[in-house]
Amino acid sequence: MMLSVRRDGEAGPDGTGTVLAAPDAFKGTAGAGQIADAVARGAAEAGWACDRCPLSDGGEGFATVVAGAAGEGGWRETTVSGPLGGPVVARWRLVETTAGPEAVVESAAASGLVLAGGAAGNDPVAASTRGTGELLVAAARAGARRILLGIGGSATTDGGRGALEAVEDGGGLGDVEVVVACDVDTGFLDAARVFAPQKGADANQVAALSARLVELAARYRRDTGIDVAALAGAGAAGGLAGGLASIGARLVPGFEVVAAAVGLRARLERADMVVTGEGRLDATSWSGKVVGRVLALAAALGRDAVVMAGSVDPGWRAGLGSTPVPAVVDLSRRFGAARALADPAGAVTEAIRADLLARRVTDAG
């Protein structure tokens, strides 16, 4: 890995540069904060300073990342319906802001695929977003004037029907502003085809779920006047985003919400290089995901970038567009798939330490 080092960031303890650790979660193996910590340890061992900046695009870890940017505190727990109907305890946050009380909620905490036992344990047709709707009602009843909802990692493809039923049963949300941080830009009618197989659906179930989404889109258009089929990102979380948009929620790219909350651009301007990453690097990494957006910003600011990935798909460059090809570390190839899955943080620390030390030798030469 060849990395040119700028000298306009805060210097490390021995005159080296500063690394901005800005990863997404490695789904199912390590959170974004854990990976950022791993980068920081490797950088420190190599004599570099590090600015920890864990990120999310609205999916796994959204609430934790946004909460961390504002300071810990305000966490609450509410028992809601899980994706397959059983009770789950969902954690969410309520804090005071200059605009009034704001809640940060994550749909995965109520309707997540992990809660259903993964794809193997899920019932992709029956899985419901009802618990997410119950969380929205709980936040509104607690006094939230604005709700930031991160969606991603869901077990569901119900078009948001369960969530809307829960909101209606709970008496509605009043004039609470709901902002949905979408982790993809997939359309409502494409949600089953694109995501349902990842949630355990076979071909027949995908067809049935697609038909159900068509019916729901027609119902939402008839009942609310909102054409969810025309909204970018409405297919996020199996159409949950579209369902909520039909009752007035605003859909926004999740990365933008998080980047603004953590002050990403200013922090990258102060760094010499950025390390980002995710569990699997593939062609979808460039469609609004953390890795693609961080790399684009790094290129615009003239900063070097490294991607740490648990594994790398052979077709990962598809969709890269004009973004410069980054340095990529495939942890599975470098350390073996078993360690990449069992100890991704340790592998990241080791890789960062070795590569930054190698960079120092190159610079000195």
Side-chain angles (χ1 to χ4, degrees):
M1 179 189 305
M2 296 299 292
L3 303 173
S4 60
V5 178
R6 302 170 62 92
R7 297 301 179 191
D8 51 357
E10 178 186 356
D14 60 357
T16 54
T18 298
V19 176
L20 181 68
D24 198 354
F26 282 36
K27 290 183 180 179
T29 59
Q34 292 173 291
I35 298 299
D37 287 343
V39 173
R41 285 193 296 271
E45 291 171 5
W48 286 58
C50 183
D51 179 9
R52 291 178 69 267
C53 186
L55 297 174
S56 170
D57 51 24
E60 182 179 348
F62 171 80
T64 300
V65 168
V66 173
E72 289 294 335
W75 287 102
R76 300 186 176 208
E77 291 184 341
T78 301
T79 300
V80 298
S81 303
L84 300 182
V88 299
V89 178
R91 191 168 181 252
W92 56 285
R93 190 170 185 257
L94 182 68
V95 294
E96 288 290 338
T97 72
T98 55
E102 178 178 272
V104 183
V105 178
E106 193 172 326
S107 65
S111 311
L113 185 59
V114 172
L115 299 175
N122 192 29
D123 182 337
V125 175
S128 171
T129 55
R130 183 174 183 84
T132 296
E134 292 169 350
L135 274 183
L136 296 178
V137 171
R141 287 180 174 174
R145 305 307 306 152
R146 182 173 188 251
I147 301 174
L148 292 179
L149 173 65
I151 57 178
S154 76
T156 60
T157 315
D158 73 345
R161 181 175 62 181
L164 267 58
E165 290 175 350
V167 169
E168 182 177 358
D169 292 346
L173 300 177
D175 59 355
V176 175
E177 179 189 11
V178 179
V179 179
V180 180
C182 301
D183 62 337
V184 296
D185 55 12
T186 304
F188 189 82
L189 300 181
D190 294 325
R193 175 183 60 82
V194 175
F195 302 120
Q198 303 169 13
K199 304 174 185 184
D202 60 27
N204 290 333
Q205 290 171 321
V206 169
L209 290 168
S210 294
R212 187 165 73 184
L213 290 173
V214 171
E215 294 175 1
L216 284 171
R219 181 192 303 178
Y220 294 154
R221 185 170 58 250
R222 181 181 66 249
D223 293 347
T224 70
I226 304 295
D227 184 5
V228 298
L231 299 177
L240 171 60
L244 293 174
S246 76
I247 59 170
R250 182 161 54 94
L251 310 186
V252 299
F255 178 84
E256 293 182 7
V257 173
V258 173
V262 303
L264 178 63
R265 185 183 183 92
R267 292 166 73 173
L268 185 50
E269 287 176 340
R270 294 193 295 268
D272 298 296
M273 59 176 285
V274 60
V275 177
T276 186
E278 60 182 345
R280 181 166 178 79
L281 184 70
D282 58 26
T284 69
S285 300
W286 320 117
S287 59
K289 298 287 188 178
V290 165
V291 167
R293 297 296 297 272
V294 169
L295 291 176
L297 182 57
L301 295 176
R303 296 301 190 263
D304 294 306
V306 180
V307 178
M308 293 279 162
S311 62
V312 177
D313 184 85
W316 68 272
R317 288 180 176 83
L320 186 60
S322 60
T323 302
V325 178
V328 173
V329 177
D330 183 339
L331 299 178
S332 291
R333 174 174 292 186
R334 187 157 175 174
F335 299 102
R339 184 180 178 196
L341 283 172
D343 182 28
V348 166
T349 293
E350 187 173 331
I352 288 294
R353 177 182 181 278
D355 292 335
L356 291 183
L357 284 174
R359 181 65 251 169
R360 287 174 58 193
V361 172
T362 302
D363 287 345

